[in-house]
Amino acid sequence: MIDITEKRTSLRSATAEGFVYCTPETLKRIKENTLPKGDLFGVAKASGLLASKKTSDLIPHCHPVNIDSFDLTFELVERGVRILASGKSIGKTGIEMEVLTGLSVAALTIYDLLKPIDKELEISSVRLLEKKGGKSEMQISKFADGAKAAILVCSDSTFAGKREDASGKVIESIFKESNVELADYRIVPDEPEEIRKKILSWVELGIDLIVTTGGTGLGPRDNTTDTVRALLDQEIPGIAEAMRSFGQDRTPYAMLSRSLAGRIKKTLVVCVPGSSNGARESLKAIFPAIFHAKKMMRGEGH
């Protein structure tokens, strides 16, 4: 199965539809409730609910999903029965396969219950109507398109050439995935004045997002967090909380990070750890939702 450990937990939903077509005579008997096998829609709904819970057992690459809401409704249409299925889940992966599986088995159940009286039954047009959550939530991710960002690697050893820059490269790759334009990329020693000058110069250029990496720990030369905090017009604690919470699910050491986020004028500044894993997990926790702040800072509301 695909690795989803870097995905965020979020509300996800899906809606699907399908049809069971039948003869006019069968449709009439459905309306009159005179079917040989009894309750058509009650049995079909129960089978669909049970099937949705078994999706990961039936389809090899489907992850087990906690189904927090699932519903099936049935509507008589001109040529037969329209089935509408919808589901919600708070998790790391979508619920569309559970919705489609439940709908399909409900359609098969209707087929089974009607086949003694109808030899022209047809299951047709099973399709996903809508899915929301995760990367498909374009209303948020669109704010990342065209955004300008800069990376500041704060490390004495990397600046001196004694250590390869890994975290900065990870951040750059995440920018590319999110259609964020990299305006600048610098490596500086973990000196407060060097950090301060570079960040303020980028703010004056109107950079949308500055990500620093390194200097967020508890070492005697970890100066980045304190330096950036003194520059902020407004701290945004929820961003740092989201990064630490996401990281804590993956390593017990995330609680020791002094990651920070805030605003200087209309520029967001985010300080992430200097390790490549720490940087990756921190940005995965907040991308692309963080770019919604662009609209808010410009006074355009939510």
Side-chain angles (χ1 to χ4, degrees):
M1 293 189 290
I2 294 174
D3 185 356
I4 60 171
T5 55
E6 290 189 347
K7 287 191 174 184
R8 299 185 312 278
T9 298
S10 64
L11 175 62
R12 299 164 188 268
S13 62
T15 304
E17 72 171 358
F19 296 84
V20 180
Y21 295 129
C22 59
T23 64
E25 292 77 13
T26 300
L27 191 58
K28 182 173 181 292
R29 292 190 63 174
I30 294 172
K31 292 177 181 179
E32 295 172 348
N33 195 24
T34 58
L35 300 172
K37 293 188 178 181
D39 182 10
L40 180 67
F41 297 137
V43 175
K45 185 169 187 174
S47 68
L49 291 172
L50 291 172
S52 68
K53 299 174 185 179
K54 292 289 186 180
T55 301
S56 62
D57 293 337
L58 300 171
I59 303 176
H61 285 282
C62 281
H63 293 81
V65 171
N66 289 323
I67 301 174
D68 299 309
S69 172
F70 191 88
D71 191 34
L72 284 161
T73 59
F74 306 91
E75 176 189 1
L76 296 180
V77 294
E78 184 179 357
R79 293 180 54 203
V81 179
R82 177 181 184 249
I83 309 168
L84 187 68
S86 60
K88 292 181 181 179
S89 174
I90 296 177
K92 294 181 180 180
T93 188
I95 195 174
E96 67 272 18
M97 292 308 300
E98 285 68 24
V99 168
L100 287 165
T101 300
L103 187 152
S104 298
V105 172
L108 286 168
T109 301
I110 291 175
Y111 190 104
D112 178 59
L113 295 177
L114 295 180
K115 72 179 189 293
I117 62 169
D118 195 331
K119 304 305 179 185
E120 299 179 20
L121 294 171
E122 177 186 344
I123 296 173
S124 180
S125 303
V126 174
R127 61 176 183 143
L128 184 69
L129 297 178
E130 181 183 58
K131 64 173 288 189
K132 292 183 178 180
K135 288 187 177 180
S136 65
E137 199 65 76
M138 298 305 294
Q139 187 175 2
I140 291 176
S141 63
K142 69 180 181 181
F143 294 117
D145 293 342
K148 292 185 178 180
I151 300 169
L152 187 64
V153 179
C154 306
S155 168
D156 293 335
S157 57
T158 303
F159 181 77
K162 298 177 181 178
R163 175 184 170 189
E164 185 179 353
D165 169 32
S167 60
K169 298 298 182 184
V170 166
I171 295 168
E172 182 181 17
S173 68
I174 294 173
F175 283 174
K176 289 180 180 178
E177 291 173 9
S178 303
N179 297 321
V180 177
E181 178 185 339
L182 180 59
D184 205 351
Y185 184 149
R186 298 296 176 93
I187 300 173
V188 297
D190 207 344
E191 289 287 349
E193 186 58 22
E194 292 285 340
I195 296 168
R196 189 186 72 83
K197 285 194 303 184
K198 181 47 62 181
I199 288 176
L200 291 179
S201 70
W202 283 338
V203 171
E204 291 305 311
L205 291 174
I207 298 296
D208 297 303
L209 173 66
I210 298 169
V211 177
T212 73
T213 174
T216 64
L218 303 176
R221 290 286 293 166
D222 286 331
N223 296 314
T224 307
T225 297
D226 296 324
T227 302
V228 172
R229 180 174 280 114
L231 300 175
L232 296 178
D233 295 326
Q234 194 173 49
E235 189 171 343
I236 310 174
I239 296 175
E241 290 165 8
M243 292 190 293
R244 273 190 288 274
S245 176
F246 190 83
Q248 193 67 28
D249 287 338
R250 290 152 181 80
T251 170
Y253 304 128
M255 63 182 176
L256 301 177
S257 169
R258 295 189 299 131
S259 297
L260 177 72
R263 175 183 64 83
I264 306 174
K265 296 182 179 179
K266 293 184 179 180
T267 298
L268 280 174
V269 184
V270 178
C271 304
V272 304
S275 71
S276 56
N277 281 340
R280 179 185 298 104
E281 291 167 0
S282 294
L283 292 192
K284 290 290 184 180
I286 62 176
F287 270 45
I290 190 175
F291 290 99
H292 188 59
K294 285 174 56 183
K295 185 176 181 182
M296 297 170 68
M297 290 190 298
R298 293 171 184 173
E300 299 172 7
H302 295 277

